[in-house]
Amino acid sequence: MNLEKVVFGFFILLALTLNFGFFLGEIDNPEHHNVYELFAAIIVSLIATVLKFGERTQIGAVLLASSLVADLQLISAAIVWAVAVHVLDIGLTPAVMASIVSLSGGALLANAVSTILLTVETVTLHR
Amino acid sequence: MTTPVAARGSIVPIILRRMRVPIIVLITAYALAVFGFTLMPGVDDQGEPWRMTFFQAFYVVSYTGSTIGFGEVPYDFSNAQRLWTMVSIYLTVFAWLYSVGTIIALIQDTDFRNALLRTRLLRSLHGIREPFYLICGYGDTGKLLARALLGRKQRVVVIDRDMTNVEELRSRDSGIYVPAFCMDAEVPGNLIDAGLQHPWCAGVLAVTDNDHTNLKVAIATKLLNRDILVFCRVDTEETANNMLSFGTDLVVNPCEDFAQRLVMGMREPDAHRVYDWLTSLPNAPLPHRPEPPQGRWIICGFGDFGRAVYRALREAGLSVLVVAEAVDDCPPGSIPGKGTEAVTLNQAGISEADALVACTDDDADNLSIMVTARQLNPDIYMVSLENRLYNRELFRAANPALPVQASYLTASRFLSVLSAPMLRDFLEQSARQGNDWNHTLVKRLAEISGDMTPDCWTITLGDRQAPAVMQAQALGEPVQLGNLCRDPRKRRDRLNAVPLMLRRGGECLLLPDDDTLLQAGDRMLWCGTPQAEALLGWNLHHLNSLRYVHTGAHRPDGWVWRHLARRRAAGDS
């Protein structure tokens, strides 16, 4: 058992599940999407990214890339949220909420790719 | 903090790898602080309870964490919020301190700095777009080689195990950047890093002071890059034979080399002089050495050098006596002692001896032997071995008849072969020509050289090195060798250069005559002053210069002038 793999697997899966939790629900209903979940998803995703720093393998590089994509999407979602609520004062209208959630949906996809890559790596490693 | 740094590749992964933990600590600290702020109950200016949103919390933590301090916004904090602010300050400030500390430690880390340096060296190596030589070992020989090659505007790359040598090279301003690696040349991977398989690597010069290392370098070169030259310095005959067996291009055993030359100097002083002058480092004063006497010899010190000299002198049929500290493996009749004391030297019969060789491993002993010997027998012919170049001034003051520097011998042999690959053949053939033939050549060399050792160079007659000769031939004007040797500024003067050898097909012509007609594909070995080499270049490259030295007439070359000349010629007829 490789502790590095365990820790990374934990964070990448946690990022995926948190992301999924935030994503789940009606796309334009603010009631269905908890801000704390988005926050947790961002933090966990960032940590997962950092864990891939300095990886020399090919698959490590792709994992880092997909992780960075997820970060970018989630942070964009958070920025949209902050701008809509605090800067423009339009509040969480269905349109705003929909774009936030769709951004997090993109991140979800990137996280899913990460997880698949991780699985592939693990499977080939054990063969 | 001493994680081993990976041998190759970029340093960015190293930084990122090291920064993993600090960045995670920072993210976690910020996350905790932000999260806490969103939970702390507060009271706004109307007295209503409120809680920070993530946006506000992140804003507060951002200025708290960077210790800027902005006051309490958007409303005065409640005590719960102030409590959390204190927690956040300690949390984030310590996280920052830790991260910054890690970066500083990383920068100071020697492994990291070596990796940084190595990356820079590798990058500069990849940027080389001209032939370069890889010098393994930057001792005395390596230094001489590097200096001479750089002087000829050739690129070199240096590997040495000793950090002080490498630092010395880095601090020296050679005019051309010299990538210097501090690593062990015995490891093939290091050689590859230093450019063994680089497309522009022209040759490897193995001049470490360790036979085994040189051997390994030669093997690695022949296996990993068959096409390039590898020159080696050796101390023992077995290693030399071993190296030659797998095709090392040049093996120089300075001891053996010197011993052979010493005997050559006795038998055929002029042949030796030719050899000596042509293989010296260029632009040094022309050495004029007295001939070694053929009488009784004393050798002090029986190392590699003493042994080689002993063998050569015995083969030449001279009587030789050895003075050595350990006489067990010395020839019978040897005298125990260092030779630095008058007692030992008297015992060896210094007053009746004709020549003395001081060749211990210690320069101080060699100097001391010379001084003592001269007091006992002022007329004795003295040969002394200089082990280290930095003792040169002392040896110069002691003024032996024949100073020997092993490093200089090796370097000059390497360089003479490098600069003129035909020189080796020429020297082999000229040594067979007898002393009279060499005597004539010596006179001629002395005339042209102006008391400095001449340069040697080779020319291949072709479109690249001699376009003018090719053009003249195409126009039906065959070129005589003698014309090439004329000064392109004043054709009555001869250039200070001598064509030593001409190779056409498989044939070699020593000292070709002036009326030899040149042909495409001829290879010629020249020797002379650097200025003559430059002037010769005019004859080889410019048809007009060539025609001038050939006929003495200046011909018009521009389109207009040619046209006018043709009209004039037409008008005359």
Side-chain angles (χ1 to χ4, degrees), chain B residues 94-298:
Chain B
F94 281 113
W96 271 119
L97 282 179
Y98 171 62
S99 308
V100 171
T102 310
I103 295 176
I104 292 173
L106 180 64
I107 292 170
Q108 284 176 334
D109 192 50
T110 39
D111 280 345
F112 175 77
R113 284 159 80 156
N114 285 343
L116 205 69
L117 194 68
R118 201 182 172 99
T119 315
R120 213 165 58 208
L121 284 173
L122 289 178
R123 203 176 306 135
S124 68
L125 195 63
H126 285 299
I128 294 185
R129 288 285 173 274
E130 52 195 314
F132 67 90
Y133 292 99
L134 180 57
I135 300 179
C136 305
Y138 193 69
D140 282 343
T141 318
K143 273 176 205 161
L144 285 171
L145 281 172
R147 207 178 305 152
L149 287 171
L150 289 170
R152 291 185 197 163
K153 305 279 170 231
Q154 262 164 329
R155 300 284 307 251
V156 297
V157 174
V158 169
I159 296 190
D160 196 292
R161 204 173 1 186
D162 193 347
M163 197 64 213
T164 45
N165 284 344
V166 176
E167 286 297 336
E168 197 228 294
L169 175 62
R170 284 187 188 141
S171 58
R172 179 195 293 274
D173 180 25
S174 336
I176 308 173
Y177 178 65
V178 179
F181 292 88
C182 180
M183 32 190 208
D184 195 344
E186 262 193 60
V187 182
N190 289 346
L191 286 175
I192 293 174
D193 275 359
L196 182 62
Q197 291 176 322
H198 194 290
W200 284 104
C201 185
V204 177
L205 313 176
V207 287
T208 65
D209 52 6
N210 184 333
D211 265 19
H212 187 247
T213 308
N214 292 343
L215 179 65
K216 283 197 77 176
V217 171
I219 294 173
T221 311
K222 279 296 158 196
L223 287 178
L224 297 174
N225 193 349
R226 182 156 285 284
D227 304 332
I228 61 174
L229 295 171
V230 53
F231 291 5
C232 282
R233 190 201 92 110
V234 291
D235 286 326
T236 61
E237 207 59 27
E238 301 93 71
T239 323
N241 291 333
N242 188 351
M243 284 177 180
L244 288 169
S245 69
F246 57 81
T248 306
D249 298 279
L250 178 68
V251 178
V252 174
N253 180 342
C255 311
E256 213 49 57
D257 212 56
F258 171 73
Q260 297 303 332
R261 284 166 68 169
L262 190 64
V263 174
M264 190 177 170
M266 283 177 205
R267 291 287 158 81
E268 294 182 337
D270 284 311
H272 177 249
R273 218 160 276 153
V274 167
Y275 189 98
D276 199 18
W277 289 356
L278 291 182
T279 57
S280 293
L281 292 182
N283 284 325
L286 208 55
H288 292 283
R289 291 172 182 145
E291 289 168 27
Q294 309 195 26
R296 287 199 51 195
W297 284 69
I298 299 176

Side-chain angles (χ1 to χ4, degrees), chain B residues 274-344:
Chain B
V274 167
Y275 189 98
D276 199 18
W277 289 356
L278 291 182
T279 57
S280 293
L281 292 182
N283 284 325
L286 208 55
H288 292 283
R289 291 172 182 145
E291 289 168 27
Q294 309 195 26
R296 287 199 51 195
W297 284 69
I298 299 176
I299 298 177
C300 297
F302 206 61
D304 289 329
F305 222 88
R307 252 174 254 267
V309 172
Y310 177 81
R311 224 175 301 136
L313 291 176
R314 290 293 296 173
E315 271 167 28
L318 302 177
S319 94
V320 189
L321 192 75
V322 174
V323 176
E325 273 185 295
V327 285
D328 300 338
D329 55 349
C330 290
S334 300
I335 298 187
K338 253 185 176 177
T340 49
E341 316 89 4
V343 190
T344 328

